[in-house]
Amino acid sequence: MSAYDETLLITPKNDEESLMICKIAAAAGIPTLVSEQPHGARLEREKDLVARIRVANPDALLVTIVEIPGPEVEENLRAEGFTVEIIDHHRYDNLDRMKDTSSLEQFLATFGLEDTDLVGLGFDPALVRCVGIIDRGFLWALRTEVPDKVEQKRVRDYYRSLTLELGKDRALIEATAKDAWDVREVINGVIVVRSTKKDVGIRDAISFLIADNFETPQTAIIVEGDRRLFVQESDASATLFKTYGGFTFGRDRCWGIQSTPDKPLPKLEEIIARLTS
C-alpha cells in the first residue's frame, strides 16, 4: 500500500514550477489530476470535478490543490466528504493565500519529500529547490541564496529546459519580448515595457532581460497589449492590488491584472503616478 493511495493532487502545468511539481508527483507515484488551464486558473472552471476526481483516484479522501483557487468549489468538495488542502502563495481578489514559501517548496513539505527522496526519484535536489527559489523571488533571490555564479548558470539552464518542455512557442515569446525591450522607456525611474501582442505572454522573458542587465531588482511595468499589465519589484504592489484588484506574487513585491470585457486595464499614466508619488 502506498502512502498516497487515498490522496489526489490537483495541479496546473502552466509554468516551470507547476511542471516541476507534476514531474516529481509522477515519479513519486502521487495520483494527480492535471488541469489544462493557463495562468489565472480557477477551480470553478474545472468541469465535472468530483467525477474526474473519482476517476483519477477512486480511493481519494484527501485532495491537495495547487494554485487553482475557488473557495466555493472547495467547500463543495468538503461537503462531498473530501479533506481539502491548499498549496498556494498568491493574493487574489477577495482571497489571501500569500505565503513566504513557493508552491513547490510547500509541495515538497506537504508530501514529506526530502533531498534523499528526490535523489531516489532521479532528481537533483539543488535544481529542484532552485526552481522554487526562482518562483518566489526570481533571479534576485537565486543570487542571494545561491551566490556561486557557475551554479546560477546551471540553474538557469535547467529552468530554461523546463520552459522549452512546456511546449510554448518560446521563439515567438523571446522575439516579442526583445522587440518590446528594445523600445522600452524609463519614466521617473520606472522601466516601462509595452507589447502590442496581447496574446503573447512576455512577462517571464522580460524579467530575465531585466536580470541580465541589472545587478539589483528594478521597478518595472510590463504591458501585454490591452489584456494584461504587471508591476514588478515595487513597494506599491500591495496598494495597487487593494485599489484595482488582480493578484500579487513575489511576496507582495509584484502585482498583475488581466482585463475583462467590463473592466479594462488601468491607465498606464495612473500606474506610473502611483509608483512614483
Side-chain angles (χ1 to χ4, degrees), residues 10-246:
I10 302 178
T11 180
K13 190 167 65 173
N14 55 20
D15 62 11
E16 294 81 1
E17 181 189 42
S18 55
L19 174 59
M20 190 81 263
I21 289 172
C22 287
K23 283 176 169 289
I24 296 170
I30 300 170
T32 303
L33 177 59
V34 178
S35 169
E36 298 300 321
Q37 292 190 60
H39 279 145
R42 301 291 299 196
L43 207 54
E44 57 267 21
R45 298 184 195 132
E46 294 292 331
K47 302 297 184 185
D48 304 315
L49 184 57
V50 172
R52 290 164 59 208
I53 289 172
R54 299 201 188 283
V55 169
N57 184 3
D59 298 320
L61 298 176
L62 170 64
V63 176
T64 303
I65 305 171
V66 179
E67 292 190 11
I68 312 178
E72 186 175 336
V73 180
E74 292 159 15
E75 285 307 311
N76 292 342
L77 291 176
R78 293 184 178 100
E80 290 283 341
F82 297 108
T83 298
V84 177
E85 189 170 44
I86 303 300
I87 291 176
D88 208 333
H89 64 126
H90 298 281
R91 204 186 303 275
Y92 309 93
D93 286 338
N94 305 315
L95 186 62
D96 184 355
R97 289 184 169 166
M98 178 62 62
K99 289 187 178 177
D100 288 337
T101 51
S102 69
S103 289
L104 176 55
E105 290 165 323
Q106 292 175 49
F107 164 78
L108 294 174
T110 296
F111 287 91
L113 295 168
E114 304 286 348
D115 286 358
T116 52
D117 300 308
L118 293 173
V119 170
L121 295 172
F123 296 95
D124 181 326
L127 291 177
V128 169
R129 296 190 182 279
C130 283
V131 171
I133 291 172
I134 291 173
D135 194 83
R136 66 169 152 77
F138 195 54
L139 295 180
W140 318 114
L142 182 67
R143 288 175 182 172
T144 300
E145 297 180 41
V146 185
D148 183 83
K149 291 189 181 299
V150 174
E151 183 66 0
Q152 287 177 20
K153 183 180 185 309
R154 187 173 81 100
V155 170
R156 284 190 60 161
D157 288 346
Y158 181 69
Y159 196 85
R160 178 175 172 79
S161 75
L162 293 175
T163 302
L164 296 175
E165 192 175 335
L166 285 166
K168 297 177 180 178
D169 190 345
R170 197 63 192 182
L172 174 62
I173 291 171
E174 292 188 356
T176 303
K178 185 178 185 307
D179 288 344
W181 177 254
D182 287 345
V183 295
R184 69 191 180 278
E185 300 174 80
V186 178
I187 303 175
N188 295 338
V190 177
I191 298 170
V192 180
V193 183
R194 288 180 268 192
S195 169
T196 58
K197 296 181 179 179
K198 64 181 181 181
D199 295 323
V200 181
I202 63 169
R203 187 193 67 80
D204 181 65
I206 292 296
S207 299
F208 276 89
L209 286 170
I210 293 172
D212 286 341
N213 285 273
F214 296 91
E215 287 297 318
T216 57
Q218 302 294 307
T219 300
I221 300 172
I222 302 167
V223 184
E224 298 174 354
D226 60 359
R227 187 178 178 196
R228 288 181 293 254
L229 183 150
F230 301 94
V231 169
Q232 299 195 161
E233 302 300 337
S234 171
D235 292 335
S237 291
T239 300
L240 290 169
F241 169 76
K242 291 176 184 176
T243 303
Y244 298 105

